[in-house]
Amino acid sequence: MKVFSSLAGRLVSSLILVTVAVGLVAAGTGSITLHREINEAMDNSMQEAARRLLPLVIDDMFGREASQSPRRLGEAVSDDEGGRLIFQVRDAGGRVLMHSHDAPAEPLTAELAQGFSEAAGWRIYTEPAVSGTILIQVAELDSRRNEETLEAATGFLIPMVILIPLSALVAWLTLTRFLRPIATLRGEISARHGDNLAPIRTEDLPSELAAIAKSVNSLMRRLHMALDAEKEFTANAAHELRTPIAGALAQTERLIAETSDEAARKRPRQIKAALSDLAGLSEKLMQLARADAGVAIAGKPADLAAVAALVVADFEQHGQNRGRLRLETSDKGKALAAIDTDALAIILRNLIENALRHGAEGGEVVIRITDDARLSVINQGPVASAPGGLVKRFERGGTRAEGSGLGLAIVTKILQQIDATLVLTSPASGRRDGFEATIRFPPRSVSPA
């Protein structure tokens, strides 16, 4: 159950079990002690009743004529005893001379000895008088004593039964309150990621949790240093590679131009294709370094349609892309988004490049911008399986087209900085094929028409 999966639930459950176990043991030992004390009190009451009755019985017997049959009194021993005690007056031979109203006419015991005895479910006290010629026996049912003990034990257990759930509730509320810093620390740790490695405040945390927070802060400092080193290496490597790659491409193109034999041009052309791919990867690494550096934060909103038009025009300068791109914008007004213009251009270039490269050969690519600042890039082509997994770095779907596997990772990294989301669907909306990438900017980025 969910309750027992939490630390508070386990602690409360353990406390309840321990409390119940201790309570049962205490109730058992207490009941034994209570039963003994009740028996002692009742025995004292029987002795007192016998000694109070003796003078009255002696006066009554010696003031009356002797009778062969036992006399039966019409009332109980005393009002104080509430009718729970009975008595018999017997002579030295054991004959019953007198008994109370509800006492049996037959002797309670076969033997007459001073003190307490048990017989036929009765607790009996025998007290001799007049040199042992007259004896009075006061008796009480054992069941009555057990009933008194049960009532006393019940009175002891009922509060326990009531207090156990109440104590559980109080323990739950208390533990929830004192464990609240754990939830706070968990939330602070959950909020940390590659773009947020700020140290966790330890001033308001208990000493036990503060030690954990300090360890997490130390780990994040090391992680921050490692990420900075990675970003710096990526940026420097990509930057340093651009110049030699460009020089190698120029030399390769010159070699192709100076070679007249078509067969001899095959190898330089292969070198040129490899260098072009390397140049593209270098450009992606530069974009990734800028994305890691937080390039998306902007001082003023960007016009989605204007930036998209510039990017589309740049793509159409290449002959193989001419006529394949179609930009659809809203007529209601400008669609604005709180994102840096350069970052938006990087996003559009990657999405359009993926759509052209992995879509159907010669197929149309639609760039759609709605009045609620939603941007979509849609292409034609086969349906992609599990498109959500393509946002990982160097992750490529089942396609034969060349690529670095960094485009969607760069887009996702930039969008995370402005709390925007990238939704990938295949087939595209309203179609049976194709691939659609939709960017949903946060509501605050929407501008009125």
Side-chain angles (χ1 to χ4, degrees), residues 400-420:
R400 297 181 180 179
E402 297 179 354
S404 62
L406 289 174
L408 293 180
I410 294 171
V411 172
T412 303
K413 185 67 175 179
I414 294 175
L415 294 179
Q416 284 177 349
Q417 300 168 13
I418 58 172
D419 294 329

Side-chain angles (χ1 to χ4, degrees), residues 42 55 70 126 133 200-201 216 238 250 252-253 281 288 314 317 327-328 335 339 381 408 415 420 441:
M42 290 185 171
T126 304
T133 57
I200 299 172
R201 289 176 53 87
V216 173
T252 305
E253 289 176 353
L281 178 59
L288 185 60
D314 183 55
Q317 290 181 2
L327 177 61
E328 297 180 357
I339 184 173
L408 293 180
L415 294 179
F441 293 96

Side-chain angles (χ1 to χ4, degrees), residues 78-350:
S78 67
D79 294 337
D80 293 338
E81 302 303 331
R84 61 184 180 84
L85 298 179
I86 64 171
F87 74 92
Q88 289 182 343
V89 179
R90 302 170 64 181
D91 59 15
R95 186 168 62 91
V96 177
L97 304 177
M98 183 186 302
H99 62 85
S100 60
H101 175 72
D102 50 356
E106 300 298 326
L108 292 172
T109 59
E111 298 181 359
L112 293 174
Q114 183 178 6
F116 290 94
S117 60
E118 302 279 346
W122 293 91
R123 175 74 169 173
I124 305 165
Y125 176 70
T126 304
E127 180 75 20
V130 193
S131 301
T133 57
I134 296 177
L135 298 97
I136 183 168
Q137 289 184 316
V138 180
E140 183 179 25
L141 285 172
D142 288 333
S143 59
R144 181 62 183 268
R145 294 192 171 202
N146 295 334
E147 182 181 351
E148 294 289 340
T149 304
L150 181 61
E151 290 178 359
T154 302
F156 174 73
L157 290 174
I158 287 178
M160 181 182 295
V161 173
I162 297 174
L163 288 175
I164 284 176
L166 182 61
S167 62
L169 177 61
V170 173
W172 178 270
L173 295 176
T174 303
L175 285 173
T176 302
R177 178 182 178 185
F178 283 103
L179 293 178
R180 195 172 299 164
I182 296 179
T184 302
L185 179 60
R186 180 185 61 188
E188 290 289 339
I189 295 176
S190 299
R192 299 305 186 268
H193 48 76
D195 297 326
N196 180 16
L197 295 177
I200 299 172
R201 289 176 53 87
T202 60
E203 291 80 4
D204 300 330
L205 294 175
S207 58
E208 297 84 358
L209 297 181
I212 297 176
K214 290 178 181 178
S215 299
V216 173
N217 287 340
S218 177
L219 175 63
M220 287 194 296
R221 281 195 297 270
R222 295 195 296 270
L223 180 60
H224 190 274
M225 294 173 61
L227 290 176
D228 285 344
E230 179 186 353
K231 293 175 184 178
E232 185 176 358
F233 172 78
T234 302
N236 292 337
H239 184 270
E240 295 297 329
L241 284 174
R242 295 178 69 179
T243 301
I245 291 174
L249 274 172
Q251 293 294 330
T252 305
E253 289 176 353
R254 184 176 179 180
L255 180 61
I256 294 173
E258 292 176 350
T259 304
S260 58
D261 187 4
E262 187 63 28
R265 291 181 177 179
K266 181 178 180 181
R267 182 61 56 84
R269 285 174 178 169
Q270 292 176 344
I271 296 174
K272 179 182 177 181
L275 289 174
S276 298
D277 292 340
L278 187 57
L281 178 59
S282 175
E283 181 65 25
K284 294 297 182 184
L285 291 175
M286 284 290 294
Q287 293 179 0
L288 185 60
R290 295 187 64 190
D292 288 335
V295 70
I297 307 300
K300 60 180 181 179
D303 186 346
L304 298 182
V307 177
L310 290 174
V311 175
V312 169
D314 183 55
F315 270 98
E316 287 184 338
Q317 290 181 2
H318 303 279
Q320 68 270 23
N321 298 330
R322 194 166 299 158
R324 293 186 61 188
L325 300 176
R326 177 161 56 92
L327 177 61
E328 297 180 357
T329 59
S330 174
D331 297 331
K332 297 182 179 180
K334 293 183 178 181
L336 303 178
I339 184 173
D340 181 78
T341 302
D342 291 338
L344 179 59
I346 293 174
I347 290 173
L348 283 168
R349 288 193 64 84
N350 280 283

